[in-house]
Amino acid sequence: KAGVTQTPRYLIKTRGQQVTLSCSPISGHRSVSWYQQTPGQGLQFLFEYFSETQRNKGNFPGRFSGRQFSNSRSEMNVSTLELGDSALYLCASSLGVPVSDTEAFFGQGTRLTVV
Amino acid sequence: TQLLEQSPQFLSIQEGENLTVYCNSSSVFSSLQWYRQEPGEGPVLLVTVVTGGEVKKLKRLTFQFGDARKDSSLHITAAQPGDTGLYLCAGERPSGGSYIPTFGRGTSLIVHP
């Protein structure tokens, strides 16, 4: 079956702009989580959506937001981009139930560069 | 301060050598997971350890969960170039009445032919 698909793969934006990233989970998976990966901080959890509701949230400013649609596809948005937002943004999908007992499958990520 | 500390940060070895990477914490985890991430790809789950003292084997990879469930190790026997990648340990930490995923910063392994 098809894996987790993230688009676009690469993106270059200017400081102050906003960006929207997309994630299509594995068919049948209802949970989508987003992560930011940087060389300095490693892999950090942004938020998780399950059945169109945010179920968990990490410690990121309000400029980072997300949503999930009825078909489980998810988008994340970063507003007022800063240079420090340059990172690999990863999406992971899982069945979602029970909450922490299902394997997460990651996409290839979106490489965002802010200049 | 990183909740999950991984060591070493970098490892460069020759094919055929053995190696061990560590994942340590001062906190107790109900389970820990190990992932491998190859360049340009997302992490792939290798194993989940749940019981203190548990040992799991995946071909040449041996995973151990500490008795107190605060640490874990990954041992690779006779490493091969295909083992090259970033090895990440992960668990869940309490946050605001819930639990959220937390990752170590990883061990970057290069196996030279």
Side-chain angles (χ1 to χ4, degrees):
Chain A
K1 57 183 176 183
V4 178
T5 303
Q6 291 189 246
T7 56
R9 288 293 310 277
Y10 303 93
L11 205 50
I12 299 175
K13 289 286 189 178
T14 304
R15 268 183 304 175
Q17 287 187 314
Q18 74 165 11
V19 67
T20 299
L21 311 181
S22 180
C23 173
S24 293
I26 291 171
S27 178
H29 284 191
R30 293 164 62 189
S31 169
V32 173
S33 298
W34 288 90
Y35 296 83
Q36 181 194 67
Q37 187 174 31
T38 60
Q41 298 298 319
L43 197 60
Q44 294 186 289
F45 173 76
L46 281 156
F47 29 67
E48 180 206 5
Y49 286 85
F50 178 79
S51 291
E52 301 179 67
T53 301
Q54 188 179 86
R55 187 159 70 175
N56 271 317
K57 187 178 187 303
N59 188 27
F60 277 80
R63 300 186 297 108
F64 292 82
S65 62
R67 59 178 176 168
Q68 186 180 33
F69 303 95
S70 58
N71 62 357
S72 293
R73 190 177 71 85
S74 178
E75 290 181 345
M76 70 161 281
N77 183 276
V78 188
S79 62
T80 319
L81 284 165
E82 301 176 359
L83 294 178
D85 296 333
S86 295
L88 180 68
Y89 289 88
L90 290 160
C91 161
S93 79
S94 67
L95 289 169
V97 286
V99 172
S100 61
D101 196 24
T102 62
E103 179 177 353
F105 295 83
F106 283 84
Q108 291 181 298
T110 294
R111 171 74 62 185
L112 172 65
T113 302
V114 182
V115 297
Chain B
T1 304
Q2 202 75 5
L3 189 61
L4 288 168
E5 295 283 352
Q6 289 192 243
S7 62
Q9 190 176 356
F10 300 101
L11 202 50
S12 179
I13 62 172
Q14 293 296 127
E15 183 175 0
E17 293 185 23
N18 302 330
L19 67 116
T20 302
V21 299
Y22 301 92
C23 175
N24 295 301
S25 178
S26 57
S27 300
V28 175
F29 284 85
S30 59
S31 66
L32 282 178
Q33 298 176 323
W34 284 92
Y35 290 83
R36 178 170 66 218
Q37 184 178 20
E38 298 182 14
E41 303 290 331
V44 174
L45 180 67
L46 296 174
V47 77
T48 300
V49 286
V50 178
T51 306
E54 180 178 9
V55 176
K56 281 191 173 179
K57 293 194 174 184
L58 186 65
K59 297 182 180 178
R60 296 176 292 100
L61 277 61
T62 302
F63 304 85
Q64 187 163 5
F65 200 11
D67 291 338
R69 292 185 289 131
K70 292 183 178 182
D71 57 87
S72 182
S73 64
L74 157 60
H75 182 79
I76 301 179
T77 303
Q80 299 178 359
D83 295 326
T84 293
L86 180 68
Y87 288 82
L88 297 158
C89 67
E92 290 194 327
R93 64 174 176 87
S95 177
S98 184
Y99 287 84
I100 65 172
T102 187
F103 284 76
R105 289 191 181 165
T107 293
S108 182
L109 170 66
I110 298 175
V111 182
H112 301 277

